[in-house]
Amino acid sequence: MIDTSKLKYTATHEWVSLSGKTATVGITDHAQKEISDVVFVELPKPGRVVKQKEAAMVIESVKAAFDIYAPVSGKIIKVNDKFKDSPELVNKSPYEEGWLYQIECSDLSELNSLLTEAQYQSTKRNAH
Amino acid sequence: MTLLQQMESLKKTPLYDRHAALGGKIVNFGGFALPVYYSGILAEHEWTRKSCSVFDVSHLGEVRVQGDRAFEFLQKRLTGDLQKLEDNKILYNVLCSEEGKALDDVLVCQATHTDFYVIVNASNIEKDFEEFRRYVPEGVKLTNPSAEIACLAVQGPKSEEILEKLFGFKLKDLRYYYFKEEKFKNEFVWVSRSGYTGEDGFEIFSSNVFSTALWDRLVNDGKVQGVLPAGLGARNTLRLEAGNVLYGNDMDETTTPLEAGLGWAVSFTKGDFLGRSALLKQKEEGLKRKLVGFKVLEKPIAREHYPIYSQGKKIGRVTSGSFGPTVGYNIGLGYVEKGFEVPGTPIEIEIHGRAVPAEIVRRPFITLKHKR
């Protein structure tokens, strides 16, 4: 089991796990519940360079399409290839099997602008 | 207004507390706070196709039209030929402006030849009532009992059997688009064989007060028989697969019923009605665009407002689109220019900045299971 208290979060419901300069990105359990039944995941192309807060990809549920934002700037180096057959992994395992992509961070100081789990939980509450 | 204030200002059906207690995800639908789903859209969709679901559709409005001239009035105000009606029968109709544009799509229920209930869409209740009132002659009484009438849609292949068991209703001989009075716990309700999902099913009209007793029987006692509550999300994917239009999406005040493929609900032979000359002119000149069904040939979903192209030229727009859980691919409805409406015609739909291949197909997308 992943320890979600070690992750960094965005106010737009993405999580980040950093290892060296490589950040693994996914969406939170709260986000997958809001999105509900995921039927299609449109991943970014490996090699694409994204800026922090840029819409990097799209997750589609039966009810709507949701932009997923890049939590940090950098180059996409790897994407999760399991979604072609199993888009529901985003719902079933948002922190593990349902990770979305990995990014090579171009500016590690951006990590400081992200939220801790406690901060994320409290922004989430205020938004409701 | 904040989102919270907006949600609090929404109208509530008498079953609102039930939806909240069941964990329904509440959204704004036509000014009403209603559940989009309880467990999930896909699960509720599939359950409806194989068993039986109950939907709260109490947001639907009713305009009651009474009097000796009620028939004549409605015949002149709506598109369909109401001569087809008889007592306890229902007829699908369009309410048009003088220019032939669709103001709403409605169901006319004939209680007697001098007493009709017109079922209207939730977001159009006030508008439709005003549209009727503007033209109402002496001797026709119009009332709007929408806020006092609740409606539960019970849909799916097991609906007949389950309703008979739970309430003691006799439904075997009730034909499609007919209704009858039934009694439960000394209260009279109307049960119609109708619905929006493409399945066999019924709609139960009752007083607001009594709707909670019906709901509780269906949801609590009905569970072991195979009933589950379903939300508006599944109602939408079910109706889309059944090829049914949704007012506000597939038809609105910029489109005519002929363009929306509802020519079968327009009678040019019944005599004059509001919008007739504009519609007749359009029919004679030929339609410039038409509502069609399409199938997306790749994974992304084509949603409302996305542009439709043919070989790079814009030819229309999507009005409804979703993953079709029963068909297993992405489907939708949209308007295309004349010449592109034939099934098999290849089109492209712009989805997230990319031209995705799609194809015009016949609708409905599934085989309808209505009992005749």
Side-chain angles (χ1 to χ4, degrees):
Chain A
M1 276 295 277
I2 199 161
D3 181 357
T4 55
S5 70
K6 296 269 180 356
L7 303 175
K8 292 280 206 169
Y9 297 86
T10 66
T12 48
H13 311 288
E14 290 87 12
W15 60 258
V16 180
S17 161
L18 192 69
S19 162
K21 284 180 77 177
T22 303
T24 303
V25 179
I27 62 165
T28 65
D29 187 51
H30 173 76
Q32 70 80 11
K33 279 187 185 138
E34 286 295 306
I35 293 173
S36 75
D37 300 325
V38 173
V39 290
F40 177 61
V41 180
E42 188 166 277
L43 290 161
K45 286 213 165 56
R48 179 176 157 195
V49 175
V50 292
K51 280 211 182 81
Q52 188 179 30
K53 295 183 180 172
E54 178 182 327
M57 55 170 291
V58 179
I59 293 182
E60 298 217 32
S61 74
V62 185
K63 66 176 178 179
F66 299 84
D67 281 325
I68 306 300
Y69 301 95
V72 289
S73 308
K75 188 162 88 176
I76 309 284
I77 50 173
K78 195 175 170 191
V79 298
N80 186 342
D81 58 12
K82 288 198 186 137
F83 297 131
K84 206 172 172 194
D85 298 319
S86 312
E88 70 281 1
L89 285 177
V90 176
N91 296 116
K92 284 187 178 152
S93 178
Y95 297 108
E96 301 193 1
E97 282 188 89
W99 66 275
L100 301 171
Y101 58 86
Q102 288 185 326
I103 193 164
E104 189 181 79
C105 299
S106 56
D107 180 2
L108 284 172
S109 71
E110 283 175 350
L111 269 296
N112 300 327
S113 65
L114 300 180
L115 309 171
T116 63
E117 185 176 41
Q119 286 167 332
Y120 171 66
Q121 296 295 351
S122 78
T123 21
K124 211 176 72 186
R125 261 195 302 279
N126 293 338
H128 285 260
Chain B
M1 218 173 4
T2 68
L3 185 65
L4 192 67
Q5 284 168 328
Q6 236 176 58
M7 289 302 283
E8 280 167 356
S9 72
L10 294 177
K11 287 184 255 183
K12 290 178 175 142
T13 74
L15 299 164
Y16 177 80
D17 293 341
R18 261 71 174 174
H19 304 319
L22 284 163
K25 168 96 182 150
I26 308 292
V27 297
N28 174 1
F29 186 84
F32 283 80
L34 284 164
V36 63
Y37 61 83
Y38 304 87
S39 63
I41 296 174
L42 289 178
E44 290 166 18
H45 177 110
E46 282 153 17
W47 189 257
T48 312
R49 293 256 182 266
K50 70 175 184 210
S51 185
C52 178
S53 296
V54 55
F55 304 77
D56 177 15
V57 291
S58 302
H59 56 297
L60 291 175
E62 295 83 15
V63 176
R64 190 176 185 183
V65 186
Q66 293 167 279
D68 291 340
R69 298 177 65 193
F71 174 85
E72 178 195 342
F73 167 62
L74 286 174
Q75 183 77 322
K76 285 199 169 135
R77 192 63 197 85
L78 298 170
T79 56
D81 186 359
L82 274 64
Q83 296 281 7
K84 290 179 188 161
L85 280 173
E86 55 183 315
D87 291 357
N88 294 88
K89 192 170 177 186
I90 302 169
L91 190 69
Y92 180 84
N93 263 276
V94 183
L95 177 70
C96 278
S97 66
E98 187 131 31
E99 296 74 36
K101 305 294 187 185
L103 302 172
D104 202 0
D105 61 340
V106 303
L107 292 175
V108 183
C109 309
Q110 177 172 325
T112 71
H113 198 70
T114 58
D115 190 2
F116 298 85
Y117 283 83
V118 184
I119 317 287
V120 306
N121 282 297
S123 53
N124 293 334
I125 297 173
E126 284 79 25
K127 177 180 84 177
D128 290 3
F129 189 78
E130 180 53 28
E131 280 295 327
F132 283 118
R133 201 200 53 76
R134 268 172 68 191
Y135 297 93
V136 76
E138 285 278 321
V140 173
K141 186 179 156 197
L142 280 184
T143 47
N144 175 10
S146 303
E148 288 112 62
I149 299 178
C151 183
L152 302 183
V154 180
Q155 302 281 300
K158 294 187 182 168
S159 301
E160 179 186 295
E161 173 199 330
I162 289 173
L163 286 180
E164 290 196 340
K165 235 182 240 170
L166 287 176
F167 299 103
F169 297 163
K170 296 275 172 286
L171 301 172
K172 201 163 63 69
D173 298 325
L174 185 62
R175 290 165 61 199
Y176 185 59
Y177 267 52
Y178 279 79
F179 64 95
K180 67 183 292 202
E181 195 172 73
E182 281 284 3
K183 208 170 166 187
F184 174 61
K185 289 188 173 172
N186 291 321
E187 284 268 347
F188 288 104
V189 298
W190 276 5
V191 184
S192 62
R193 189 165 220 138
S194 55
Y196 200 35
T197 59
E199 296 298 321
D200 184 26
F202 301 85
E203 288 169 306
I204 311 175
F205 295 85
S206 73
S207 69
N208 273 352
V209 182
F210 196 59
S211 67
T212 50
L214 295 167
W215 177 270
D216 291 345
R217 174 63 63 106
L218 279 160
V219 172
N220 302 336
D221 306 330
K223 199 172 177 181
V224 291
Q225 318 275 355
V227 188
L228 286 175
L232 295 173
R235 191 163 185 262
N236 187 53
T237 52
L238 290 158
R239 72 89 192 171
L240 188 59
E241 285 185 335
N244 287 324
V245 296
L246 172 63
Y247 189 85
N249 276 49
D250 311 308
M251 181 171 50
D252 58 27
E253 291 182 24
T254 69
T255 54
T256 72
L258 303 181
E259 292 167 333
L262 299 170
W264 56 271
V266 178
S267 169
F268 289 110
T269 54
K270 70 168 179 174
D272 198 25
F273 64 90
L274 205 74
R276 183 180 186 273
S277 46
L279 290 172
L280 192 60
K281 183 161 175 273
Q282 185 179 51
K283 189 184 173 186
E284 283 165 354
E285 287 174 355
L287 299 174
K288 293 191 176 66
R289 58 176 178 174
K290 226 179 157 192
L291 187 73
V292 294
F294 62 79
K295 170 181 177 175
V296 183
L297 302 176
E298 289 180 15
K299 284 278 186 169
I301 297 174
R303 298 183 194 268
E304 195 183 337
H305 306 311
Y306 290 3
I308 302 177
Y309 295 88
S310 169
Q311 294 172 335
K313 177 179 166 276
K314 190 175 176 214
I315 56 157
R317 66 185 164 93
V318 174
T319 54
S320 285
S322 176
F323 173 65
T326 304
V327 295
Y329 45 79
N330 295 328
I331 57 173
L333 300 174
Y335 283 94
V336 295
E337 286 174 16
K338 186 185 172 166
F340 296 94
E341 72 274 21
V342 184
T345 306
I347 55 171
E348 302 102 49
I349 301 172
E350 189 184 322
I351 308 178
H352 315 151
R354 182 164 75 88
V356 176
E359 183 185 298
I360 307 288
V361 295
R362 227 172 272 286
R363 61 183 169 114
F365 299 91
I366 52 155
T367 308
L368 302 178
K369 302 279 171 60
H370 303 144
K371 287 253 165 70
R372 286 289 150 186

